[in-house]
Amino acid sequence: MPENTDRHESAVARYFEAWNAREPEVRAKAVAAAWTADGGYTDPLADVSGHERIAAVIAAAHEQFPGFAFRLTGAVDGHHDTARFSWELVSEADGSAPVAGSDVITLDADGRISTVLGFLDRVPAGA
């Protein structure tokens, strides 16, 4: 069990590294480290696959919410090749978190993300 837990937590840590990467080159490397080459990301606002498209979704989030960072809330819960976790998008200026969600990821044999199914639990009006 701890081996799987470490695998899930490592995958989620790489996921947040990608989501919090602000420089395009750093983001591209982080996405490649976190996802399989044909990996996908689906939430209510996006349905993309491949490193370039995933990086573009992340870049768009940073454009919409400059000065914000994604933070894990609670523990990573996983079994087999699947994990779930919750997160918030937190303002580095005042600590507010206008956006929150929960994601479910599927990992390949090497622990890289093959799919993400994201759910938005809290979104500000007009966002």
Side-chain angles (χ1 to χ4, degrees), residues 13-92:
R14 287 190 307 275
Y15 178 81
F16 281 104
E17 286 175 24
W19 274 96
N20 287 320
R22 294 191 175 140
E23 299 298 322
E25 290 145 10
V26 174
R27 183 181 308 120
K29 287 180 183 178
V31 167
W35 271 270
T36 60
D38 62 347
Y41 177 85
T42 302
D43 72 13
L45 306 173
D47 185 9
V48 298
S49 61
H51 292 169
E52 287 183 22
R53 290 185 175 150
I54 293 167
V57 168
I58 294 170
H62 284 283
E63 288 173 18
Q64 186 174 4
F65 294 96
F68 283 75
F70 290 87
R71 302 282 185 248
L72 180 67
T73 60
V76 175
D77 181 26
H79 62 82
H80 296 86
D81 292 331
T82 305
R84 67 178 176 171
F85 55 93
S86 296
W87 52 267
E88 290 182 323
L89 185 58
V90 180
S91 168
E92 294 171 342

Side-chain angles (χ1 to χ4, degrees), residues 3 13 22 46-47 82 96 108-109 111 113 116-117 120 124:
E3 194 171 310
R22 294 191 175 140
D47 185 9
T82 305
S96 64
D108 73 355
I113 298 168
V116 175
L117 298 176
L120 299 174

